[in-house]
Amino acid sequence: MTAHAIIGSGSFTPTRVVTNEDMSRIVDTSDEWIVTRTGIRERRLASETESTSYMAAAAASAALIDAGVKAEQIDLLIIATFTPDLPMPATACLVQTMIGIPSKAACFDINAACTGFVYALDTAWAMLASGRYQHAVVIGAEKISSLINWNDRTTCVLFGDGAGAVVIGPAPSGSTGRFIGSKLGAIPGTSAVLMVPGGGSSPVQTDAARFITMKGKEVFKLAVRAMDDVARDILAAHGIAADDVACIIPHQANRRIIDAIAQYLEVPIERFFINVDRYGNTSAASIPIALDEARRAGRIKSGDLVLLVAFGAGLTYGATLVRF
Ligand code: UT7
């Protein structure tokens, strides 16, 4: 069976930087509060024309160039997002047209909130392993600023916009690159702690229901437990010690959550790639943006074992082990 590997990556973040100082002019908050509670120093916010599809297309184009793969070769396009341009069609279909992916390609969106990219990666990998697809583009893209209540200091300081993408294809001959394993899950009965109550087909359709609501402390506890458990599970399932992992790319929601995971897994924090300070929480885009930055910064070398681990609304969780 052909081994499939991540053969390219790309990302796009809006140029508009909004610092904590800027946030303190919008709501009653401070740089000191945001940095100590979250580690976030600034985030990027998309302009009106920088839609989720626009950012996704930019990230995907960069990933295709990096992989040396042409858009015509792609036969699978998956976008993880909870902030699609439209309820339908899927953002993947909009991006397909924008970047010239042919009609033979399967194009669809996945919503597992902040775990979306890990879910999408696992889906793409399984479809490629079936032998019926050859090259996939997997994107995480979010315009979360469109679902933020800018009067709610408990949520508005946390999030940012952006997109990241990878190209998956047959591993080049001689390379060790391949997927090792993946584990996905969701915790029943936890939806109410993090949600956008309106905007869908539910009868809850007040103006306020369009925005993200969150019980931060509860999410924090569940997130640490779920990420620690799933990381341990996947390592144990493949007989790999945490120490053998060269780079851990966690979902970038809160620096304190990442520090806690490092402590529980007993892995030095230097082994984690962290950029939450510059982008805040970009949900499904956070892991692919971090993965792209880590690759370009030389933090991931050929042969390295990399662990991606995430949690998000649902609450969903997941981890993927990849060798580069
Ligand atoms: O991808 C999944 C997305 N979600 C997450 O990952 C969130 C996980 N949770 C967290 O990251 C943390 O719970 C938060 C950063 C959201 C909050 O930190 P916390 O240490 O749990 O603070 P808290 O919610 O207990 O709030 C402490 C105080 C409260 O004031 P009182 O009631 O003690 O007087 C809040 O009203 O901080 C206040 N507060 C703020 N103060 C200044 C809440 N937000 C702010 C703010 N600026 N932005």
Side-chain angles (χ1 to χ4, degrees), residues 29 33 37-38 114 153 214 216-217 251 253-254 281 311:
T29 190
W33 191 96
R37 303 283 176 138
T38 72
C114 303
R153 69 176 182 172
M214 183 174 70
K217 266 202 193 321
H251 170 46
N254 185 321
N281 179 351
F311 73 96

Side-chain angles (χ1 to χ4, degrees), residues 93-141:
C93 296
L94 307 178
V95 172
Q96 174 192 25
T97 306
M98 291 160 92
I99 63 175
I101 287 178
S103 62
K104 67 175 178 188
C107 300
F108 61 96
D109 292 358
I110 279 184
N111 177 355
C114 303
T115 320
F117 183 76
V118 175
Y119 267 63
L121 211 53
D122 197 21
T123 305
W125 177 30
M127 290 177 74
L128 290 163
S130 76
R132 293 186 290 118
Y133 301 86
Q134 304 304 316
H135 289 93
V137 170
V138 180
I139 307 172

Side-chain angles (χ1 to χ4, degrees), residues 9-14 51-60 63 77-84 91-92 95 108-121 137-144 160-167 251 281-292:
S9 63
S11 57
F12 174 89
T13 51
S51 57
T52 296
S53 61
Y54 176 93
M55 294 188 282
L77 171 63
I78 308 179
I79 302 188
T81 186
F82 78 96
T83 52
T91 306
V95 172
F108 61 96
D109 292 358
I110 279 184
N111 177 355
C114 303
T115 320
F117 183 76
V118 175
Y119 267 63
L121 211 53
V137 170
V138 180
I139 307 172
E142 303 281 16
K143 186 169 180 173
I144 307 180
D161 301 326
V166 295
V167 176
H251 170 46
N281 179 351
T282 58
S283 188
S286 96
I287 287 184
I289 293 172
L291 178 61
D292 183 48

Side-chain angles (χ1 to χ4, degrees), residues 27-30 33-34 37-38 113-115 152-159 194 214-221 223 251-254 256-257 281 283 311-313 315:
V27 284
D28 180 16
T29 190
S30 65
W33 191 96
I34 301 172
R37 303 283 176 138
T38 72
C114 303
T115 320
D152 177 9
R153 69 176 182 172
T154 68
T155 52
C156 74
V157 302
L158 304 175
F159 297 96
L194 180 53
M214 183 174 70
K215 293 179 182 146
K217 266 202 193 321
E218 286 173 51
V219 176
F220 192 104
K221 284 185 216 149
H251 170 46
Q252 312 279 322
N254 185 321
R256 282 160 55 220
I257 294 178
N281 179 351
S283 188
F311 73 96
L315 291 180

Side-chain angles (χ1 to χ4, degrees), residues 246-265:
C247 184
I248 299 181
I249 303 193
H251 170 46
Q252 312 279 322
N254 185 321
R255 171 68 199 237
R256 282 160 55 220
I257 294 178
I258 299 172
D259 286 341
I261 307 292
Q263 209 179 342
Y264 290 154
L265 290 177

Side-chain angles (χ1 to χ4, degrees), residues 207-286:
D207 262 1
R210 291 189 299 117
F211 303 123
I212 294 173
T213 61
M214 183 174 70
K215 293 179 182 146
K217 266 202 193 321
E218 286 173 51
V219 176
F220 192 104
K221 284 185 216 149
L222 288 161
V224 172
R225 164 95 61 84
M227 285 169 85
D228 179 44
D229 284 352
V230 74
R232 278 172 199 283
D233 279 0
I234 189 127
L235 291 169
H238 296 276
I240 291 167
D243 209 36
D244 295 334
V245 178
C247 184
I248 299 181
I249 303 193
H251 170 46
Q252 312 279 322
N254 185 321
R255 171 68 199 237
R256 282 160 55 220
I257 294 178
I258 299 172
D259 286 341
I261 307 292
Q263 209 179 342
Y264 290 154
L265 290 177
E266 296 179 58
V267 172
I269 193 71
E270 297 70 36
R271 210 78 73 75
F272 285 69
F273 188 83
I274 301 171
N275 63 9
V276 68
D277 50 322
R278 288 180 288 122
Y279 300 121
N281 179 351
T282 58
S283 188
S286 96

